């Protein structure tokens, strides 16, 4: 690379070629000749080194600044922590003022008493379309720590479960909550089994994922936990799903003893209210008006009178011929249920969920003695004696049996 140079036409190059011209020939091209000069070369060198000097100076300044920051790391970290706290507090306060949220009250008992609770995300979406979100109450306590919520699809069961979980989360994060009143005991863990999701990469179906999550909840929930369960057992056959849901309700009530909201379409589960003291029945209200389904999104005491499945199907746009056929099939199924007592016939006399864990299997002395042997460290005589000992153990075991 020539760098900086002087380019002249070839016809004038002879004068610059002279030894006393002060220029140095560098390159000859067609029609032009290029020259350099000592002063120009010096300037080129200075320009070339200026970039390196700039990078070195920048690195030195950065090192100095880093040293200054490290020397003041404690006050800087304290200032950052204070700013973060102010930012969170200001954001929560702004959201509370905008949404009309209230300050929760904490008590020393495992209760959850929400008056006029709302789901902030759903409320904003409903307001954007000109609608009004329907607020609902929730009262979980010693006498009703498990709510069984029934009702039609799209009636608001899942929203009700999620809004109460959000209220618990916001309250314990130090925020106001989207409700008129809120009174709760400290929750040690929040468990959620809602929605449907496959894990195809790991070979898990929707039902498998549901069972894995439900198993984790039953293994970890405590009397201080809050649990929401949405449609447990729906991913398999009716009988299997009802059996699983039935057993899960009993386990959460009798073993985990957690505050729990359990949404389901299995109306047979409402029979558990007669045997579980702390189970309370509730439903989301709906009405049919002139053949159309009106979803009220209100949570009311008591079980749902029916599922309104065909009405929801009509609302979704199923063809009239399909709906008519479904009504005929439903009439026959209900007649059969009336004769046989339904799929939950005989469950009223079923003993309650056994709270005691199953007994551990009896120890096997022969297996334990065999596992304790180290063949590599035994002499032939030791091996023979061990074999006779194992025979005696086996003989004694047969005699005891």
């Amino acid at each position: 690379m020539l760098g900086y140079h002087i380019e002249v036409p070839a016809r004038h190059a002879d004068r610059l070629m002279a030894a006393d011209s002060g220029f140095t020939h560098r390159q000859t091209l067609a029609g032009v000749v290029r020259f350099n000069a000592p002063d120009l070369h010096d300037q080129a060198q200075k320009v070339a080194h200026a970039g390196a000097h700039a990078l070195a100076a920048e690195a030195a300044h950065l090192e100095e600044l880093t040293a200054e920051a490290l020397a003041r790391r404690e006050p800087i970290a304290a200032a950052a922590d204070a700013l973060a706290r102010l930012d969170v507090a200001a954001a929560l306060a702004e959201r509370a003022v905008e949404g009309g949220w209230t300050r929760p009250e904490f008590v020393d008992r495992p209760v959850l008493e929400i008056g006029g609770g709302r789901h902030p995300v759903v409320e904003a979406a409903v307001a954007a379309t000109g609608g009004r979100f329907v607020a609902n109450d929730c009262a979980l306590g010693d006498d009703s720590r498990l709510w069984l919520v029934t009702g039609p699809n799209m009636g608001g069961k899942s929203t009700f479960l999620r809004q109460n979980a959000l209220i618990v989360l916001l309250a314990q994060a130090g925020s106001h909550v989207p409700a008129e009143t809120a009174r709760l005991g400290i929750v040690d863990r929040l468990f959620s089994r809602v929605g449907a999701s496959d894990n195809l990469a790991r070979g898990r179906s929707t039902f498998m994922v549901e069972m894995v999550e439900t198993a984790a909840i039953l293994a970890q929930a405590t009397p201080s936990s809050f649990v929401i369960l949405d449609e447990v057992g729906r991913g398999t056959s009716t009988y299997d799903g009802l059996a699983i849901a039935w057993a899960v309700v009993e386990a959460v009530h009798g073993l985990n003893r957690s505050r729990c909201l359990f949404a389901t379409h299995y109306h047979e589960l409402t029979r558990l209210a007669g045997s579980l003291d702390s189970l309370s029945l509730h439903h989301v209200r709906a009405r049919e008006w002139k053949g159309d389904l009106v979803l009220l999104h209100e949570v009311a005491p008591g079980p749902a009178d029916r599922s309104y499945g065909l009405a929801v199907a009509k609302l979704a746009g199923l063809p009239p011929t399909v709906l008519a056929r479904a009504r005929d099939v439903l009439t026959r199924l209900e007649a059969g249920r009336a004769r046989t007592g339904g799929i939950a016939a005989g469950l009223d006399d079923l003993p309650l969920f056994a709270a005691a864990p199953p007994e551990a299997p009896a120890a096997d002395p022969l297996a334990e003695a065999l596992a304790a042997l180290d063949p590599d460290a035994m002499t032939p005589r030791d091996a023979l004696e061990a074999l006779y000992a194992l025979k005696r153990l086996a003989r004694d075991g047969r005699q005891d049996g």
Side-chain angles (χ1 to χ4, degrees):
M1 298 295 294
L2 295 179
Y4 294 102
H5 58 272
I6 298 173
E7 184 177 280
V8 299
R11 61 180 179 276
H12 301 300
D14 291 340
R15 296 179 59 186
L16 297 182
M17 288 286 191
D20 58 350
S21 66
F23 292 92
T24 303
H25 174 256
R26 298 300 304 273
Q27 189 177 32
T28 299
L29 300 176
V32 296
V33 181
R34 293 174 176 174
F35 297 89
N36 200 349
D39 293 341
L40 190 59
H41 179 71
D42 292 341
Q43 292 299 323
Q45 291 292 326
K46 291 180 181 179
V47 171
H49 291 102
H53 290 311
L55 290 176
E58 181 181 342
H61 288 309
L62 177 61
E63 185 176 354
E64 182 181 355
L65 179 61
T66 302
E68 292 288 341
L70 289 175
R72 295 170 173 80
R73 58 184 177 273
E74 293 183 0
I76 291 175
D81 180 72
L83 288 173
R85 291 175 181 272
L86 287 172
D87 182 40
V88 171
L92 293 177
E94 180 180 4
R95 187 67 189 89
V97 171
E98 292 174 350
W101 294 5
T102 189
R103 179 180 179 180
E105 175 189 356
F106 287 94
V107 295
D108 293 331
R109 296 184 295 108
V111 299
L112 179 63
E113 299 172 357
I114 307 298
R118 310 186 303 277
H119 192 301
V121 178
V122 177
E123 182 182 21
V126 171
T129 60
R132 182 182 66 87
F133 185 87
V134 179
N136 281 293
D137 300 339
C138 179
L140 303 179
D142 295 333
D143 297 333
S144 59
R145 64 175 180 271
L146 194 160
W147 274 26
L148 191 68
V149 185
T150 55
N153 284 313
M154 300 172 58
K157 298 191 301 296
S158 296
T159 299
F160 179 69
L161 268 59
R162 288 176 169 89
Q163 76 185 36
N164 285 287
L166 277 173
I167 288 173
V168 169
L169 185 62
L170 287 168
Q172 295 198 187
S175 171
H176 285 55
V177 296
E180 296 177 2
T181 60
R183 187 168 176 264
L184 67 154
I186 292 293
V187 171
D188 63 352
R189 294 180 181 181
L190 175 62
F191 294 98
S192 170
R193 161 85 284 276
V194 296
S197 59
D198 293 330
N199 192 338
L200 300 180
R202 298 182 61 182
R204 289 180 176 177
S205 65
T206 298
F207 180 67
M208 182 61 176
V209 172
E210 176 185 333
M211 290 297 99
V212 169
E213 294 179 356
T214 303
I217 292 172
L218 295 179
Q220 301 177 52
T222 72
S224 297
S225 302
F226 180 57
V227 180
I228 58 173
L229 297 167
D230 192 8
E231 304 291 355
V232 170
R234 64 181 168 183
T236 186
S237 69
T238 301
Y239 285 95
D240 286 351
L242 175 58
I244 292 171
W246 187 289
V248 169
V249 170
E250 287 185 338
V252 172
H253 179 276
L255 299 182
N256 302 101
R257 305 182 69 82
S258 306
R259 286 162 285 180
C260 177
L261 298 176
F262 192 108
T264 184
H265 278 104
Y266 293 124
H267 293 274
E268 293 79 7
L269 294 179
T270 57
R271 297 189 181 189
L272 286 168
S275 57
L276 304 182
D277 296 336
S278 297
L279 186 145
S280 180
L281 301 179
H282 294 77
H283 70 282
V284 288
R285 296 182 59 205
R287 291 289 183 269
E288 282 191 283
W289 175 256
K290 296 182 179 179
D292 293 327
L293 180 65
V294 180
L295 301 171
L296 303 178
H297 303 292
E298 296 177 3
V299 177
D305 54 354
R306 54 199 178 95
S307 66
Y308 297 96
L310 294 184
V312 174
K314 179 182 177 181
L315 190 65
L318 252 64
T321 54
V322 175
L323 291 172
R325 179 58 175 169
R327 290 191 186 94
D328 293 339
V329 174
L330 179 61
T331 301
R332 291 178 178 271
L333 291 175
E334 289 179 339
R337 181 176 61 184
R339 289 194 304 270
T340 63
I343 64 174
L347 292 182
D348 293 331
D349 299 328
L350 185 67
L352 286 179
F353 194 96
E359 295 183 0
D364 186 349
L366 182 61
E368 293 178 355
L370 188 59
L373 295 179
D374 184 6
D376 295 330
M378 297 173 68
T379 65
R381 183 176 181 82
D382 293 337
L384 185 60
E385 291 178 353
L387 182 59
Y388 282 125
L390 291 174
K391 288 187 66 177
R392 287 194 297 271
L393 283 174
R395 184 178 61 251
D396 295 342
R398 287 197 299 271
Q399 291 175 356
D400 293 340

